Amino acid sequence: MRCSWPLALGLGWVLTWSSASLPTWSQGVQQQASLAWTEAYVAALERQTDLVLTREPLSAPLTRLELARWLTEFFGYVPNPKQVQEIRDLEPNTPDYWTAQAVLQAGAMRLYEGNEFRPQGDLTRLEALAILVRALRLPAPSQADIERWMALYTDAAEVPEVGRALVAMAGEAGLLVNVPDPAKLRPNRILSRGEGAVLLHQALVHRGKLPPLPPPVAQLRPSPAPVAKSVQPEILQTRVIPEAGVVLPGQTVTVEAQGTPNGKASVDIGDLVRGLPMEEVQPGYYRAVYTLGPQDSALSPDIRIQLSLNGLETRVQRRLPQLALGKVAPPRVEPLFPSSTPLPQPAPAPPTPLAASHGPRITAIRLHPQRDLVEGDILTIAIWGDSGGVAQFDLGKLALNQPMREVRPHHYEGTYVVAPTHQATNPTLRVVLTKDGLSQEYWEIFPFSIDGSKGTRPTIQPASGPVVAGPPRIFSVTTNSTNLRRGEILRVTMQGDPGGRAAFRIVGVTPEVEMREVAPGLYETQQQLPSNMQPVNNGIIEVILERGGQRAIQTSPSPITIAP
């Protein structure tokens, strides 16, 4: 008999089952019945991965560890070694340990009391639905929606009060496939591997990662709810990235909110920007990204989010006392992602030998640029950590074991250039720092896409418009740094009239290098300085903009120095 214990389902719900609600012997016999109906779902999953789900019987109970493995494989969860949680019943630094860390850090699964993961523990259908609801981050339903869903099932009384909303959320996402009786949820039945594969398949269909199979007869859906003339929008949760530290010009602040879907959201960031539109990236989840300009500055800014729907509006406001934006005196916290521009540093202390049981430390990481990448773009991976090591990185399957250089003490950099054949969505970045025979690894999901089929001149050049009489205008010229070393990245940005051909050069040092028009009137290029490049002292960067047979030239206001 399965022991009784508290079951953390999600959204703060904690349920306790008594022995009266445990699966009966007859239910166990039914679970061994034919699961042929699940085979099409299993086959669809196996086509997407190297996993062989049919290696074990589909009728066997699905364990918590196997579900965790499936989630890391199909949802792409990667553990962060800096955010490990104590797990008392898994051996540290084993594959199963890191699998559990990945799903725990993603918020999909949770530990039991005593920090136990219970890897070989089984799952009820309701527990599995709770895990997938958390993995999908589904919006909470209204009370009316809950009642509409529960009215469909003859065994609704077996669902605890706090699990009713869970059923409604799972139903809206298409997870409730009930065989053989579509009107029975069987929330307390032990889940088989075949049934678990069906739930996972439906979750991936909801995310748009798999095409749906023909609608199963075992899936019920309530009649549409009456459309309310006016619904007061709600903002349920907000998140600001980062919430503490220093964000310098050229870096970004991301604001996210969860609330009523299908609304119109915007955000104010201190006095820097008002009414910045937030995109609804999935139903009920809104996001805006703001890049700090050269003159932006704010200390402990207020973040104000507005959500409107059907003429009604809701506002929330947060103050971030530990966040500094721009060139202001920072609050007393360590920057989350330090700038790649070298800052004055105190003389380093004499190195101390590392303990034999500890590897080198990676203390911070920064990726630039923070946007979708196309052909020719250069992604710079910068890490801060123990000096004197050997660093390398992988970026999905696009770049493997790429070397990183210690450009200055404790600061390593590596670069990746997008090739025409490279394509990936949210690839996993893996950084390894090795010193004295010991290593530390860092994983992060690159939150943008890479598409090398874009970016050639025929696809990036904007549609030609009416040519304004006179030479084209250049409004501004900026660089990412005025003090660089050979092998580092020089980024030049120019704002001017759109639809032209742009280039830059270091006068007397380099030939003209073409710039891309990444947005109307915004031209940009990134170039890795050659390792054999001659040193430059107070060099002049000159940009050229041509349009309609006429040319404009302007120099950067700050000279550039390039050291060996």
Side-chain angles (χ1 to χ4, degrees), residues 35 40 82 84 92 94 110 115 119 148 161 201 218 265 286 288 306 310 312 350 383 396 399 406 411 429 516 533:
L35 288 170
K82 295 182 181 179
V84 295
T94 60
R110 297 175 180 173
N115 293 326
R148 289 167 51 237
E161 182 65 28
H201 177 278
Y286 303 85
Q306 303 87 35
N310 297 328
L312 301 176
I383 66 170
E406 189 169 12
H411 179 190
L429 172 69
R516 293 190 300 110
M533 182 179 182

Side-chain angles (χ1 to χ4, degrees), residues 187-527:
N188 302 321
R189 190 169 82 171
I190 301 301
L191 194 71
S192 70
R193 296 180 70 254
E195 292 168 318
V198 173
L199 294 182
L200 177 62
H201 177 278
Q202 295 300 93
L204 294 171
V205 169
H206 178 77
R207 293 188 71 193
K209 300 296 185 182
L210 289 177
L213 294 179
V217 294
Q219 198 169 19
L220 301 180
R221 198 162 191 88
S223 301
V227 178
K229 292 184 178 180
S230 59
V231 176
Q232 178 67 40
E234 294 182 288
I235 299 174
L236 305 175
Q237 297 181 23
T238 63
R239 184 168 70 151
V240 181
I241 307 172
E243 293 190 348
V246 180
V247 181
L248 296 176
Q251 297 180 339
T252 59
V253 176
T254 300
V255 182
E256 298 178 339
Q258 178 188 357
T260 307
N262 303 318
K264 184 178 181 180
S266 63
V267 61
D268 302 339
I269 302 177
D271 294 326
L272 303 184
V273 59
R274 300 290 181 91
L276 179 66
M278 301 181 72
E279 180 186 1
E280 190 173 15
V281 294
Q282 57 179 291
Y285 284 84
Y286 303 85
R287 178 185 298 144
V289 179
Y290 179 69
T291 302
L292 268 67
Q295 306 303 320
D296 285 347
S297 65
L299 184 62
S300 304
D302 289 325
I303 306 295
R304 298 173 291 273
I305 300 174
Q306 303 87 35
L307 178 62
S308 59
L309 180 66
N310 297 328
L312 301 176
E313 187 175 86
T314 296
R315 295 172 180 262
V316 297
Q317 180 168 323
R318 291 180 56 191
R319 168 157 288 190
L320 302 178
Q322 295 183 322
L323 182 64
L325 304 179
K327 297 180 179 179
V328 296
R332 294 184 179 180
V333 294
E334 288 293 325
L336 181 61
F337 293 114
S339 168
S340 61
T341 303
L343 299 175
Q345 297 289 336
T352 56
L354 293 174
S357 59
H358 295 85
R361 297 170 301 164
I362 298 175
T363 58
I365 185 169
R366 188 171 76 95
L367 308 179
H368 184 85
Q370 290 283 321
R371 57 171 170 78
D372 291 343
L373 302 180
V374 297
E375 179 197 359
D377 276 341
I378 299 174
L379 175 66
T380 299
I381 299 98
I383 66 170
W384 285 257
D386 288 343
S387 188
V390 176
Q392 61 184 26
F393 73 91
D394 299 342
L395 184 64
K397 296 181 179 179
L398 304 179
L400 298 175
N401 301 318
Q402 296 298 300
M404 303 180 71
R405 190 167 63 91
E406 189 169 12
V407 296
R408 58 185 65 91
H410 307 287
H411 179 190
Y412 301 79
E413 284 191 1
T415 56
Y416 156 75
V417 181
V418 181
T421 57
H422 286 184
Q423 287 188 327
T425 300
N426 304 131
T428 299
L429 172 69
R430 172 179 172 265
V431 177
V432 182
L433 178 61
T434 303
K435 183 177 180 180
D436 298 331
L438 301 174
S439 298
Q440 182 185 353
E441 296 187 10
Y442 178 95
W443 295 269
E444 181 172 316
I445 300 296
F446 183 64
F448 300 95
S449 65
I450 297 173
D451 190 349
S453 67
K454 300 178 181 178
T456 56
R457 287 198 61 82
T459 59
I460 66 169
Q461 201 68 7
S464 59
V467 177
V468 180
R473 296 167 298 174
I474 297 175
F475 305 122
S476 67
V477 182
T478 58
T479 61
N480 61 317
S481 177
T482 57
N483 290 279
L484 294 170
R485 296 187 180 186
R486 292 185 298 201
E488 294 185 334
I489 300 297
L490 170 63
R491 185 173 71 254
V492 181
T493 303
M494 176 182 66
Q495 289 187 305
D497 284 335
R501 179 253 176 195
F504 91 99
R505 64 175 180 151
I506 303 176
V507 177
V509 179
T510 69
E512 290 185 6
V513 178
E514 191 159 316
M515 304 173 68
R516 293 190 300 110
E517 189 172 15
V518 296
L522 180 63
Y523 303 84
E524 185 178 280
T525 188
Q526 299 179 86
Q527 299 295 322

